Amino acid sequence: MNETHRASTAQQPTGFVAKLLADKHSVPLSIALHLVPGALIVAAYAWIGAPITRALGLPIFGAWAIGLMVVLLPLWFGLFWLGKQQTGRYTMRGGVVRYRDKPFTRGKITAIGIGLLVYMTVVSLSLAPLDAWTYDTLFTWVTFEGSGSSGTSYLDAYSTSTVITTLLIFGAFTGFLLPLIEEYYFRGFLLPRLPQLGRWAPLFNTVLFSIYHFWAIWTVPSKIIFLLPGVFFVWWKHDIRASIWMHPGSALLMTVVGTTLYATGAM
């Protein structure tokens, strides 16, 4: 039986919780649910992550990892909590996170997912010049470490052991778990609740997800390009596994390869 229509033994939610669990979010509500987490991540970076990493002498990407963790881990728990309101137990099922009906066999979705992973990885890397141009043209006023076309040059101020240690501490989070949470939230929770937008829903979701990355706002054009095919596929076929392969999969690949190259001095 489809998760959306499973019977619930729990008392039906009311108020704002009922609005969150409804089959349709209003456009203003959806915009807020897409963008508020990004604003909170920037605040968590500024007030929690940056002071911690500066005190410990760690690269600033550790501060962004902390900011992401401070916001996304509770957000993940929130999805389970919504499941409890819906079903009486902590779960993302019961219609909370959708597109989990698995219409494809494991082998077929693996092949599709690998294709999307390769597409996202190759295209995102090839669009780095676009990111640099967008930053240099429109966003030079954003001056925190590692922003824009400065790339990873700021890492030269840190020892190799410090950079590698930071990557090992946060890599499992930024390289897989946090992107996985983003997929559950943005593709599994928010995207299915935009039926009024029809075929525009994937573009709406992709654009807002790209803007949600306020800390890298100059990458919005490239993110739309390399994310949209996977998001559209998930919306079209109702199988979130495709974007999980694409987004967390690509993040994991780039984290492992990047850490290896840096550790061996090739980067």
Side-chain angles (χ1 to χ4, degrees), residues 29-71:
L29 175 61
S30 187
I31 291 173
L33 292 174
H34 277 82
L35 298 184
V36 168
L40 293 176
I41 288 168
V42 173
Y45 157 81
W47 294 100
I48 301 174
I52 290 175
T53 54
R54 286 170 183 154
L56 296 175
L58 300 178
I60 205 66
F61 69 77
W64 287 112
I66 292 172
L68 285 158
M69 291 163 63
V70 166
V71 175

Side-chain angles (χ1 to χ4, degrees), residues 101-122:
D101 292 332
K102 299 182 179 180
F104 295 101
T105 64
R106 182 177 298 178
K108 189 170 184 178
I109 197 62
T110 298
I112 293 169
I114 290 174
L116 289 170
L117 183 158
V118 171
Y119 168 83
M120 177 173 173
T121 303
V122 171

Side-chain angles (χ1 to χ4, degrees), residues 24-25 28 43 47 62 67 107 130 149 196 198 256 267:
K24 182 173 76 173
H25 289 160
W47 294 100
L130 173 61
S149 55
Q196 71 272 38
V256 171
M267 179 178 173

Side-chain angles (χ1 to χ4, degrees), residues 10-28:
Q11 182 178 357
Q12 290 301 304
T14 59
F16 187 64
V17 173
K19 289 184 178 181
L20 291 176
L21 289 169
D23 290 335
K24 182 173 76 173
H25 289 160
S26 68
V27 170

Side-chain angles (χ1 to χ4, degrees), residues 4-263:
T4 307
H5 303 291
R6 286 178 180 169
S8 172
T9 58
Q11 182 178 357
Q12 290 301 304
T14 59
F16 187 64
V17 173
K19 289 184 178 181
L20 291 176
L21 289 169
D23 290 335
K24 182 173 76 173
H25 289 160
S26 68
V27 170
L29 175 61
S30 187
I31 291 173
L33 292 174
H34 277 82
L35 298 184
V36 168
L40 293 176
I41 288 168
V42 173
Y45 157 81
W47 294 100
I48 301 174
I52 290 175
T53 54
R54 286 170 183 154
L56 296 175
L58 300 178
I60 205 66
F61 69 77
W64 287 112
I66 292 172
L68 285 158
M69 291 163 63
V70 166
V71 175
L72 292 182
L73 291 176
L75 187 65
W76 192 23
F77 173 78
L79 295 177
F80 284 95
W81 181 83
L82 286 174
K84 190 174 192 303
Q85 309 312 302
Q86 184 89 308
T87 69
R89 61 190 181 91
Y90 288 100
T91 178
M92 291 193 296
R93 297 186 181 276
V96 178
V97 173
R98 301 179 180 178
Y99 295 167
R100 300 178 70 182
D101 292 332
K102 299 182 179 180
F104 295 101
T105 64
R106 182 177 298 178
K108 189 170 184 178
I109 197 62
T110 298
I112 293 169
I114 290 174
L116 289 170
L117 183 158
V118 171
Y119 168 83
M120 177 173 173
T121 303
V122 171
V123 174
S124 63
L125 291 173
S126 67
L127 289 177
L130 173 61
D131 293 338
W133 180 87
T134 305
Y135 176 83
D136 292 338
T137 304
L138 299 173
F139 294 102
T140 52
W141 50 272
V142 180
T143 57
F144 55 78
E145 284 182 299
S147 60
S149 55
S150 63
T152 59
S153 60
Y154 74 97
L155 294 177
D156 294 340
Y158 301 91
S159 67
T160 300
S161 61
T162 298
V163 174
I164 295 300
T165 299
T166 308
L167 285 169
L168 292 176
I169 291 172
F170 297 111
F173 293 96
T174 58
F176 187 77
L177 181 59
L178 299 178
L180 178 64
I181 295 171
E182 288 177 333
E183 288 308 307
Y184 283 140
Y185 179 69
F186 287 95
R187 250 62 72 185
F189 179 67
L190 296 181
L191 178 59
R193 290 176 165 85
L194 291 167
Q196 71 272 38
L197 297 185
R199 289 181 175 270
W200 291 101
L203 179 61
F204 180 89
N205 178 264
T206 303
V207 170
L208 289 180
F209 177 67
S210 301
I211 297 172
Y212 142 89
H213 292 79
F214 291 118
W215 56 95
I217 195 67
W218 56 91
T219 65
V220 167
S222 64
K223 279 185 169 63
I224 293 171
I225 294 170
F226 65 70
L227 286 169
L228 185 56
V231 176
F232 182 84
F233 183 88
V234 170
W235 171 84
W236 179 34
K237 295 299 184 180
H238 291 194
D239 197 330
I240 196 174
R241 293 176 297 171
S243 61
I244 289 175
W245 265 102
M246 180 184 74
H247 181 195
S250 178
L252 179 61
L253 175 64
M254 295 180 74
T255 297
V256 171
V257 172
T259 302
T260 302
L261 291 176
Y262 195 90

